[in-house]
């Protein structure tokens, strides 16, 4: 007489177990990808903050040592222009980094769904 341990699982149960395992693996991959992205973003922002602090100190030094009134009048405008350009560049770089991570994640998740998933 066959016991319950001898009875094979139905195909639908096997498919469910396989999908669950793939989902858990995908969740682990997504978690690792997001953690890596957070670390790379933090590093990028730390470098940006360091560079901006250096530029700010240089701008303060230029203000403190400037002896020409016309040149002194132009320093704040040039400082603000450079600051806005640096912040705009950094925001663009961070947006590209994030977009790349999300695109890779989207492709990976689409592949895990199988060939019937729209791309």
């Amino acid at each position: 007489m066959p016991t319950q341990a001898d009875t094979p699982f139905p195909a639908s149960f096997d498919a469910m177990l396989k999908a669950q395992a793939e989902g858990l693996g995908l969740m682990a991959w997504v978690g690792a990808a997001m953690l890596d992205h957070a670390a790379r973003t933090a590093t990028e922002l730390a470098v940006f903050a360091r560079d901006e602090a250096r530029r700010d100190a240089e701008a303060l030094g230029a203000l403190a040592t400037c002896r020409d009134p016309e040149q002194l009048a132009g320093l704040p405008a040039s400082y603000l222009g450079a600051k806005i350009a640096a912040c705009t560049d950094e925001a663009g770089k961070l947006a590209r980094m994030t977009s790349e991570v999300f695109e890779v994640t989207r492709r990976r998740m689409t592949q895990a769904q199988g060939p019937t998933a729209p791309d």
Side-chain angles (χ1 to χ4, degrees), residues 11-104:
S12 59
F13 189 70
D14 284 338
M16 183 197 69
L17 288 176
K18 182 181 178 204
Q20 185 179 25
E22 288 173 355
L24 290 173
L26 186 59
M27 286 181 359
W29 181 87
V30 168
M34 292 298 118
L35 186 61
D36 177 66
H37 176 61
R40 289 186 304 116
T41 300
T43 300
E44 177 62 33
L45 286 172
V47 168
F48 176 72
R50 180 202 64 207
D51 292 346
E52 285 304 298
R54 180 185 44 79
R55 282 190 280 267
D56 290 349
E58 290 171 357
L60 284 173
L63 281 172
T65 59
C66 186
R67 299 294 179 241
D68 180 10
E70 289 180 24
Q71 186 181 11
L72 184 63
L75 286 177
S78 65
Y79 168 79
L80 287 176
K83 179 65 77 175
I84 290 170
C87 289
T88 301
D89 289 346
E90 186 66 16
K93 185 173 187 177
L94 292 172
R96 285 187 299 279
M97 288 171 60
T98 301
S99 176
E100 290 170 5
V101 168
F102 288 154
E103 179 59 27
V104 169

